[in-house]
Every structure is written in C-alpha cells, then in structure tokens.
Amino acid sequence: DAGITQSPRHKVTETGTPVTLRCHQTENHRYMYWYRQDPGHGLRLIHYSYGVKDTDKGEVSDGYSVSRSKTEDFLLTLESATSSQTSVYFCASSGTGDSPLHFGNGTRLTVT
Amino acid sequence: RKEVEQDPGPFNVPEGATVAFNCTYSNSASQSFFWYRQDCRKEPKLLMSVYSSGNEDGRFTAQLNRASQYISLLIRDSKLSDSATYLCVVNPRGDMRFGAGTRLTVKP
C-alpha cells in the first residue's frame, strides 16, 4: 500500500476558527485528493491536485482551500470552520489520473 | 443527477449466497472504473479495477457496460468476512467520483 498519512487523526474545534489538515505521501504520486464522508452521502470530492501547485475544485469545495507546495504534501484548510464541516476527511493519492487511489486513515473533525 | 449512483441497500444475505451490485454513471467519457470495499470507520480499500472486457478475481467478478453506462460487481459464495460497504468509483475527468456505497451483511 502507498505510504500515506494524515494528521491529526482527530480534532475538535470551535465554529469560526481556521483548521488545517495535512496529508503526506511517500510514494512520489502525482495526484492527491481530499474527500469528506458523511452518512448518506458517501465520499464527496473537495479538491484534488494533479501536480505541485496544480489544484482543482471538486463537488463540495465551498469553504475549503488547498495547497500543494511539495509533491508529498497536500494541505486542506477550512478558513472559518462551521458545524456543517463536521465530518470524516480522507486523503488519497495515485500515480496517474487513471490509477487506483490509495487512502490515508482519515481525520475525524468535529466543529462545535 | 449525481455523477455516480448506487443502490444503498442494505443487502442481507446468507453465507454462500451470490450477490450483485450495480452502479450507474452519467459521464460517458469516463475512462477508469473501480470497486472499493470499506469497513466500518476505516478507509476505503481497492477491491478491484474494472476492465472493458470484464475481469474476475477469485469469487469476485466485475463487469463494465459502456453502452448503458453501468458497472457491476458479483460476489459468489459469500463469506461472513465479505460484510462491508462496497463503493463504486468512476473517473470522468481525472477526478475520481464515488458512489454512496452499498452495505452488505452476510449472515451465518
């Protein structure tokens, strides 16, 4: 499996505070993705990256920003957290745009 | 219309049963397709890729029907350990899109 780690694993934060989630991969994969998973919705794509400094929006990008300054790191930022952003966040990576995704263990975020 | 749609189930089957899941997708330009398995509170893990000619891996068979824009997963001789949520994944533009998942419970 690809070496992909997410940090933190759990976080509780208050409404209105900024939050950054980190994804780190050691496989030199070009593509990286951020998803959120909520009951009844499955995994929904927030943002993805197809190279350093190359990112694009997914289907639920409002309220989120990302940055990819190095191949191995993909950061997801909630500029001002809201309760609707309480979710489990998964990062994934793949070598090409067509190859299978390898996932991190997830980050459980609670916004109170 | 969602990009990828799956029957949410749940499917409750006895051990040894054959069960099939379908998944439809809206973008006809989609080029790659996968089935993932997700256990409760865990990350999704690749079960198998889906190839145009269909492919099999042990008890699992995946099919792709481009004309009707659906993929399927067949599980034969179900085991208790097959209990999980099965997710189909479609790649329309380099951004991988997931179905909502189908929950399978295999009972003794």
Side-chain angles (χ1 to χ4, degrees):
Chain A
D1 284 344
I4 181 165
T5 54
Q6 293 183 231
S7 58
R9 292 294 312 277
H10 302 272
K11 186 170 182 67
V12 180
T13 191
E14 293 184 347
T15 298
T17 59
V19 177
T20 295
L21 308 183
R22 182 177 183 247
C23 180
H24 180 78
Q25 53 105 352
T26 58
E27 298 297 316
N28 201 34
H29 282 171
R30 180 182 173 190
Y31 285 76
M32 296 186 76
Y33 305 79
W34 276 107
Y35 292 88
R36 61 176 289 175
Q37 186 171 33
D38 306 287
H41 290 281
L43 281 95
R44 292 181 291 173
L45 182 63
I46 304 172
H47 283 279
Y48 69 104
S49 169
Y50 46 95
V52 173
K53 298 192 188 304
D54 291 324
T55 65
D56 206 349
K57 296 179 179 180
E59 56 193 310
V60 290
S61 58
D62 288 349
Y64 301 95
S65 62
V66 289
S67 68
R68 182 116 181 257
S69 58
K70 296 186 290 184
T71 298
E72 57 267 36
D73 291 325
F74 193 32
L75 304 180
L76 176 71
T77 298
L78 289 66
E79 304 291 345
S80 177
T82 67
S83 58
S84 64
Q85 293 175 312
T86 291
S87 187
V88 178
Y89 291 84
F90 285 105
C91 176
S93 71
S94 66
T96 70
D98 288 340
S99 50
L101 302 180
H102 299 273
F103 281 86
N105 291 336
T107 295
R108 188 170 297 274
L109 176 68
T110 303
V111 183
T112 61
Chain B
R1 182 185 172 189
K2 291 183 180 179
E3 293 252 18
V4 184
E5 299 211 49
Q6 278 185 262
D7 180 347
F11 285 58
N12 297 305
V13 303
E15 269 188 297
T18 295
V19 61
F21 306 133
N22 287 327
C23 177
T24 59
Y25 60 95
S26 60
N27 191 324
S28 59
S30 299
Q31 291 299 316
S32 51
F33 309 88
F34 309 94
W35 282 101
Y36 277 73
R37 170 197 170 121
Q38 186 175 28
D39 295 292
C40 189
R41 292 179 170 267
K42 298 282 191 178
E43 73 276 18
K45 293 194 175 179
L46 179 68
L47 180 65
M48 59 197 303
S49 301
V50 185
Y51 302 119
S52 297
S53 55
N55 48 299
E56 190 173 302
D57 182 2
R59 298 182 293 109
F60 300 86
T61 300
Q63 296 279 350
L64 167 63
N65 185 318
R66 287 191 183 274
S68 301
Q69 294 181 207
Y70 77 83
I71 62 173
S72 64
L73 177 68
L74 183 76
I75 305 175
R76 292 182 299 278
D77 188 23
S78 300
K79 311 291 185 191
L80 296 177
S81 57
D82 293 334
S83 296
T85 296
Y86 291 84
L87 305 162
C88 64
V89 183
V90 175
N91 181 10
R93 292 169 296 272
D95 53 336
M96 299 282 190
R97 299 298 179 104
F98 281 73
T102 300
R103 175 88 187 127
L104 171 67
T105 300
V106 182
K107 300 189 174 181

